[in-house]
Amino acid sequence: MLEPTQRTARPPKWAGWGDPEKRMALPTAALEMLRSELGQTEPMRSVELDEVGLPAPRPLPGAIVDAVNQASVLLAHEQRVRRSAGRSYPDLVRLRGGRLAAAPDAVVMPGNPAQLADVLEICAREGIAVVPFGGGTSVVGGVDAVAGPHERLISLDLRRIRRVEIDRVSLVATLGPGLRGPEAEDAVRAHGLTIGHFPQSFEYATVGGFAATRSAGQASSGYGRFDELVTALAMVTPAGELRTLATPHTAAGPSLRELVLGSEGVLGAITEVTVRVRPAPEARRYEGWMASDFASGCDAVRSLAQGEALPDVVRLSDETETRVSFGLSGTSGLRRLLLGTYLGVRRRRRGCLVICGWEGGRESVERRRALSARLLRRGGAAALGEAPGRAWERGRFDGPYLRDTLMDLGYMAETLETAHSWSRLDDLYRAVRAALGSALAAQGTPGIVMCHLSHAYRDGASLYFTFIARSRPGAEIEQWHALKTAACEAIVAAGGTITHHHAVGLDHAPYMPAEVGQTGLEALRALKERLDPAGIMNPGKLLP
Ligand SMILES: Cc1cc2nc3c(=O)[nH]c(=O)nc-3n(C[C@H](O)[C@H](O)[C@H](O)COP(=O)(O)OP(=O)(O)OC[C@H]3O[C@@H](n4cnc5c(N)ncnc54)[C@H](O)[C@@H]3O)c2cc1C
């Protein structure tokens, strides 16, 4: 058994994203662009952490302290605030405004699965709601302090369960749920291996959270989504431990592993995850390409997916996202002129940026890159070289820091995602764009709606929308709610999934009947009733 690298990331900003030492300034040209397109704004301020009002904590049974130990039950105001919300735009608005209607009565941090089982037994007996908490990066209300029918609620923080065991022969790693992305990756890198799971929330999200939400990383086209990497899991439920066999495959009935993946803490707490790992890449090559428009870019990515030529990272921005990302990155003056001239020579004045990345052995990277390049060219895309690819790679985790800057300035910036088959993708794209555009206009805050395609498959792909608008001071949550509802209704009407990788949480739960049907919902509810008869696990999430 090995100890993972103890990387001590600073505690994240309490009302923003990520490392408190890291801030992103907007280049002047970008600020001018936003002001001219979206209008003047009022800066959004934040209260201080100690000004956030919380309901008074209700006392918990002493048996919980006995099950873990005094130091592992946190009651301080800061700890309760930090476990009250995830990191969606409305979460951050509520935190900045110091407006929290609910908070956990305590944060409980078991040190191992046996302690965790004791805590769940006490909570089930006493009727105390339990919200499993990994990195708290949910953007769908997954960690909100909802007690359901119960009066008391604890946040069950899994950070102390951090086992690492590596089977070098089978190329699998068994990991504790509390390891953050960089800690898990460092632990396998020490053996020359990689997990290859790099969501944008990588810095703070955890292994348990990745499994509980079916997370997809930026390189999912090559390495696979997190759920595709998982070979086995253990979960402690109020009714006992559920453990699946760590074999490469089994034909023994429906997959229990699949029931645990994506269960979002409503059945129990995941205490162990075994994932496939592979040799750390020897070579990496990232490039930019330019498609003439979004439709032809989609066709080119489909040809890659169906021609066994998908890069490990592939990401196609629509026209608006291409324009805005060049604008926000401050690509102005000489750089923009050079890019414009370069594209002009290739008869591309406008277009859609495609980022492609290949990783692995040197020979494999070269061979796969040549194959992808051939298909991209055949699809009409023009090569931009490595500079845009490297720039994307350098800034791949920066987007959420920029959101904080935009919020400071008084802009709303939010994202949502979906997926569909190739034949229905364009209808879905148009429907969601139109719904967001109309809802923004109806709010009196016309905005920028942009999209990229990522996570490509042989049969379809996911679409990731970002919308930026002037926020309505004092009515930010209502404004967000109107936009989110419009987009979700458009997704459901177009037959897309309500979430490709952000999960369901509270925000998407009302759309679960459309996703799985009434019988499907009843099957999930029956499973919950069997594993969590007292209904203490993460009430209100996943199941409407
Ligand atoms: C800026 C930003 C960028 C993001 N980018 C991506 C992305 O690229 N790809 C992607 O897939 N997602 C992304 N997300 C969403 C989020 O990071 C993922 O859903 C992530 O997997 C959550 O991990 P976590 O450890 O933070 O879980 P938490 O937020 O703590 O919890 C998420 C849900 O899982 C449950 N849970 C957590 N741990 C356990 C456990 N051990 N057992 C049972 N249930 C548990 C919680 O109760 C909750 O319902 C992003 C979020 C943000 C804020």
Side-chain angles (χ1 to χ4, degrees):
M1 184 112 68
L2 293 154
E3 274 304 301
T5 314
Q6 295 284 319
R7 185 192 287 235
T8 47
R10 279 177 278 272
K13 287 179 204 147
W14 69 272
W17 173 254
D19 185 342
E21 301 284 301
K22 195 168 157 185
R23 292 193 182 274
M24 281 198 65
L26 263 188
T28 317
L31 194 54
E32 280 165 10
M33 181 187 87
L34 289 178
R35 290 211 169 119
S36 83
E37 291 191 28
L38 305 177
Q40 289 288 343
T41 51
E42 275 177 43
M44 188 195 289
R45 310 206 184 284
S46 172
V47 300
E48 295 297 325
L49 174 58
D50 56 12
E51 291 169 340
V52 178
L54 295 182
R58 288 143 298 195
L60 293 169
I64 291 189
V65 175
D66 298 341
V68 284
N69 65 44
Q70 190 74 56
S72 306
V73 178
L74 315 179
L75 301 166
H77 176 267
E78 173 174 351
Q79 302 302 341
R80 294 179 62 220
V81 172
R82 283 184 177 280
R83 307 310 191 291
S84 298
R87 297 292 103 166
S88 66
Y89 173 79
D91 289 332
L92 300 185
V93 169
R94 276 191 283 266
L95 287 164
R96 282 171 174 241
R99 290 179 265 158
L100 294 180
D105 294 303
V107 179
V108 179
M109 304 183 76
N112 55 51
Q115 289 185 359
L116 194 156
D118 289 346
V119 172
L120 292 195
E121 197 210 310
I122 298 160
C123 290
R125 198 170 60 230
E126 301 269 344
I128 300 169
V130 175
V131 180
F133 190 97
T137 66
S138 169
V139 280
V140 291
V143 293
D144 285 16
V146 176
H150 310 288
E151 282 190 357
R152 293 169 293 176
L153 177 145
I154 62 163
S155 171
L156 184 72
D157 190 316
L158 280 306
R159 284 278 295 149
R160 288 181 62 221
I161 307 185
R162 309 161 60 74
R163 168 180 181 217
V164 175
E165 204 172 298
I166 291 172
D167 177 345
R168 197 85 193 56
V169 175
S170 315
L171 288 182
V172 291
T174 299
L175 305 168
L179 295 163
R180 285 189 175 139
E183 294 167 336
E185 185 65 18
D186 281 356
V188 302
R189 286 282 167 132
H191 294 259
L193 302 168
T194 182
I195 302 169
H197 184 66
F198 304 107
Q200 201 182 39
S201 53
F202 176 71
E203 286 171 273
Y204 286 92
T206 62
V207 165
F210 295 152
T213 60
R214 289 184 176 273
S215 165
Q218 293 163 338
S220 76
S221 295
Y223 291 93
R225 293 183 316 264
F226 196 76
D227 56 354
E228 294 173 311
L229 300 177
V230 173
T231 64
L233 304 124
M235 177 166 77
V236 172
T237 78
E241 190 193 60
L242 198 68
R243 177 175 282 279
T244 68
L245 269 191
T247 59
H249 179 65
T250 165
S255 167
L256 288 178
R257 183 188 63 210
E258 290 291 322
L259 287 176
V260 175
L261 288 165
S263 59
E264 300 189 32
V266 307
L267 303 176
I270 297 166
T271 50
E272 198 178 286
V273 183
T274 301
V275 286
R276 294 194 176 93
V277 290
R278 60 178 83 187
E282 182 190 18
R284 310 152 62 81
R285 186 175 168 114
Y286 281 76
E287 289 180 3
W289 288 72
M290 194 66 103
S292 46
D293 55 37
F294 195 55
S296 72
C298 285
D299 285 345
V301 176
R302 177 166 59 84
S303 77
L304 294 174
Q306 295 177 345
E308 312 288 339
L310 261 186
D312 298 307
V313 171
V314 63
R315 180 190 160 105
L316 162 71
S317 296
D318 70 358
E319 286 86 348
T320 315
E321 190 176 275
T322 303
R323 178 179 64 80
V324 172
S325 16
F326 282 131
L328 289 186
S329 67
T331 305
S332 57
L334 185 62
R335 274 168 70 206
R336 177 168 279 184
L337 194 70
L338 287 173
L339 183 67
T341 312
Y342 179 86
L343 289 171
V345 169
R346 280 157 184 74
R347 296 208 174 80
R348 289 271 188 294
R349 278 276 166 231
R350 293 201 187 80
C352 293
L353 182 65
V354 192
I355 296 293
C356 295
W358 301 265
E359 303 191 351
R362 272 180 224 298
E363 184 275 328
S364 146
V365 165
E366 252 172 56
R367 183 174 38 78
R368 291 190 300 126
R369 191 247 155 214
L371 185 56
S372 312
R374 201 158 48 238
L375 290 180
L376 283 165
R377 265 195 212 98
R378 199 179 292 162
L384 301 182
E386 290 188 70
R390 283 203 219 102
W392 176 84
E393 207 191 351
R394 266 196 312 276
R396 65 195 287 183
F397 302 121
D398 288 348
Y401 290 94
L402 196 57
R403 176 179 62 169
D404 285 347
T405 309
L406 291 171
M407 285 184 73
D408 290 343
L409 291 166
Y411 293 105
M412 121 184 286
E414 178 64 318
T415 63
L416 51 90
E417 36 73 67
T418 174
H420 216 329
S421 45
W422 289 114
S423 57
R424 309 276 301 276
L425 206 62
D426 189 51
D427 288 347
L428 178 65
Y429 169 68
R430 286 169 195 281
V432 178
R433 263 184 70 89
L436 281 169
S438 315
L440 281 161
Q443 290 292 305
T445 56
I448 298 173
V449 179
M450 51 194 180
C451 176
H452 64 252
L453 176 157
S454 51
H455 313 293
Y457 306 90
R458 286 182 70 82
D459 53 337
S462 84
L463 294 176
Y464 188 96
F465 292 87
T466 303
F467 45 100
I468 308 177
R470 213 163 12 95
S471 60
R472 288 178 42 207
E476 294 91 348
I477 306 276
E478 292 84 337
Q479 181 190 18
W480 170 84
H481 192 257
L483 298 166
K484 178 79 178 172
T485 306
C488 289
E489 286 175 357
I491 288 172
V492 168
T497 174
I498 199 64
T499 173
H500 171 266
H501 56 267
H502 280 169
V504 177
L506 277 184
D507 298 346
H508 295 147
Y511 304 96
M512 277 299 273
E515 186 85 19
V516 299
Q518 272 313 321
T519 311
L521 263 187
E522 278 163 32
L524 288 175
R525 287 206 178 105
L527 181 68
K528 177 163 171 74
E529 273 163 30
R530 176 65 189 84
L531 296 180
D532 175 27
I536 56 165
M537 298 305 302
N538 219 1
K541 318 296 166 54
L542 181 61
L543 300 167

